[in-house]
Amino acid sequence: MVDPVRQEVISGASTVVIKVGTNVLADPTGQLDRHRIQSLADQLHRIRQSGRKVVLVTSGAIGAGVGKLGLGKRPTDLAHLQACAAVGQAALMQLYQESVAQYGIRTAQILLTASDFDNRARYLNARNTIGTLFEYGALPIINENDTVSVAEIKFGDNDHLAAMVTNLLRAPLLVLLTNVDGLYSDDPRTNPDAKLVATVPNIDQSVTGLAAATKSALGTGGMESKLKAARLVTVSGEAVIMANGSLDGILDRVFAAEPVGTLFLPHGADVPSRKRWFGFTARPKGVFRLDAGARQAVLDGKSLLPIGVTAVEGEFGKGDVVSLIDPEGTEVARGLSNYASTTAVRVCGLHTERIAALLGGVPYSELVHRDNLVVTG
Ligand code: GLU
């Protein structure tokens, strides 16, 4: 049965980011599955041959390191996990390299941390490098730089990293390959009536609620983190397909627009690159707490004025990314602050005349101009 919506998504997917999870690539003891990796490589080749640009985001470094070092199970402390990643990353890349070599494809390793994405210059460097790799016809293979990633600079997981990369490239499609068929209406192991959800038009609370039902099927936070990542992509105007990477030929089927897995449709407008960076990628350095009126103004596409801000938190400079939080404690938007935190604290809650008196002038009448705002909530 042909789904015209799927077909439209697939035919518009000129650049695709494909993320493969550890449980697709390695068994629980960390032995990499050569057959699976070769099969993925064959399919990646076919996708590239159809004229699309492809980026692979791969997990599996830590898992493969556990296998290579003969540890039997995953260590728990950071230094050992990082050492495993360093050993496993080389093994993983070697396998990918061997698997695509027969097609004459060169592989390119890119290891990133979240702090690379906080810094606009480094963010743009990553984009330029990937663009140049496309020119060379090389296959960019991305993982988190686990060796140097500690909690403060971590993406958290590769679902998030893959979403960031999709936004970085403005790729119209992200494919998340995992070891379940997609999003279910309930836990399929306990409820025989649980149904695979074919299409999700909007990742709202009714959808995120389904993650809890399927959580344990994927281990800690699996489905939840996938839905978060999918949301980051769909609110920027791109699509996500989640499918079972353990099935032979799954990518061929996805790109034939067959009804496999779950398709998450774009919702909201196509967000320009610059707004994607501060809206969905860079981590905010501070917080503006809004009153109800300011919340509404921001949702209506207006600028944020000092009078509507009840509190300022964090230390940030002029032009840094801030998170705008409503009176219920929910983030509604992100933006670039016109004022450093030291001044923002002084002007929040004030009318323009009071600000003029206080500062001896009003450099900016808005705390965040509407051109520098993205609604995220
Ligand atoms: N970067 C980790 C690895 O390669 C994977 C993180 C994740 O699975 O989300 O092992």
Side-chain angles (χ1 to χ4, degrees):
M1 201 180 52
V2 178
D3 173 3
V5 175
R6 279 234 180 200
Q7 262 183 334
E8 201 185 315
V9 167
I10 297 300
S11 62
S14 49
T15 302
V16 292
V17 176
I18 296 169
K19 185 260 171 177
V20 192
T22 302
N23 42 29
V24 172
L25 298 169
D27 70 16
T29 66
Q31 295 310 315
L32 288 171
D33 183 342
R34 281 179 174 270
H35 163 78
R36 182 62 49 218
I37 292 178
Q38 186 59 59
S39 157
L40 287 169
D42 298 342
Q43 295 174 83
L44 292 177
H45 168 59
R46 287 193 280 275
I47 298 166
R48 284 165 47 106
Q49 279 204 309
S50 70
R52 302 174 206 274
K53 293 175 181 148
V54 178
V55 171
L56 183 66
V57 175
T58 187
S59 300
I62 296 174
V66 170
K68 283 271 161 199
L69 293 165
L71 304 180
K73 65 178 171 57
R74 214 178 139 96
T76 47
D77 71 290
L78 191 61
H80 287 85
L81 286 169
Q82 290 175 323
C84 284
V87 172
Q89 180 65 26
L92 197 57
M93 282 305 291
Q94 189 185 359
L95 257 188
Y96 281 122
Q97 235 157 16
E98 287 168 7
S99 310
V100 297
Q102 59 180 296
Y103 302 114
I105 301 173
R106 309 274 187 277
T107 53
Q109 171 178 267
I110 302 178
L111 299 176
L112 296 168
T113 63
S115 56
D116 295 326
F117 276 32
D118 288 343
N119 178 301
R120 181 118 179 110
R122 271 147 78 179
Y123 178 76
L124 295 177
N125 282 340
R127 187 163 76 196
N128 291 341
T129 302
I130 295 170
T132 310
L133 288 168
F134 285 150
E135 271 173 37
Y136 284 141
L139 172 67
I141 301 182
I142 302 178
N143 195 357
E144 181 154 10
N145 193 355
D146 292 308
T147 311
V148 297
S149 283
V150 288
E152 307 80 68
I153 57 164
K154 248 186 150 4
F155 285 104
D157 55 59
N158 273 6
D159 298 319
H160 190 213
L161 168 61
M164 299 285 115
V165 171
T166 307
N167 270 340
L168 172 79
L169 301 175
R170 300 189 72 167
L173 179 64
L174 165 65
V175 180
L176 294 173
L177 290 182
T178 177
N179 64 347
V180 291
D181 288 339
L183 180 69
Y184 276 89
S185 59
D186 200 353
D187 189 340
R189 296 163 311 156
T190 51
N191 180 356
D193 293 330
K195 298 247 172 344
L196 183 68
V197 182
T199 308
V200 173
N202 185 352
I203 305 175
D204 56 18
Q205 279 177 355
S206 69
V207 175
T208 43
L210 298 178
T214 45
K215 192 168 180 169
S216 50
L218 265 176
T220 20
M223 187 56 76
E224 220 171 301
S225 85
K226 282 180 178 49
L227 288 182
K228 269 194 196 147
R231 191 162 188 284
L232 280 172
V233 172
T234 54
V235 293
S236 303
E238 323 294 3
V240 178
I241 293 177
M242 187 194 302
N244 192 337
S246 312
L247 300 177
D248 281 335
I250 189 68
L251 286 173
D252 288 336
R253 298 183 63 196
V254 164
F255 285 90
E258 285 186 31
V260 286
T262 302
L263 165 65
F264 298 88
L265 290 172
H267 52 95
D270 182 16
V271 179
S273 301
R274 193 179 73 90
K275 288 199 169 188
R276 286 177 193 219
W277 176 70
F278 65 75
F280 305 111
T281 301
R283 290 166 303 174
K285 295 209 167 134
V287 166
F288 287 151
R289 297 214 172 258
L290 314 190
D291 65 18
R295 173 186 186 274
Q296 196 53 50
V298 163
L299 291 179
D300 291 342
K302 301 201 175 109
S303 297
L304 176 67
L305 303 179
I307 185 81
V309 174
T310 56
V312 175
E313 291 161 20
E315 277 175 35
F316 50 89
K318 181 181 165 188
D320 278 345
V321 182
V322 285
S323 170
L324 278 48
I325 310 273
D326 75 8
E328 277 76 51
T330 308
E331 181 185 82
V332 288
R334 288 187 187 180
L336 303 178
S337 177
N338 275 340
Y339 289 97
S341 52
T342 42
T343 315
V345 168
R346 296 173 67 204
V347 302
C348 75
L350 301 184
H351 276 296
T352 312
E353 311 82 71
R354 296 266 315 274
I355 298 172
L358 187 73
L359 302 182
V362 183
Y364 300 95
S365 46
E366 315 87 9
L367 265 183
V368 182
H369 191 273
R370 63 172 187 279
D371 291 348
N372 295 331
L373 260 180
V374 178
V375 173
T376 54

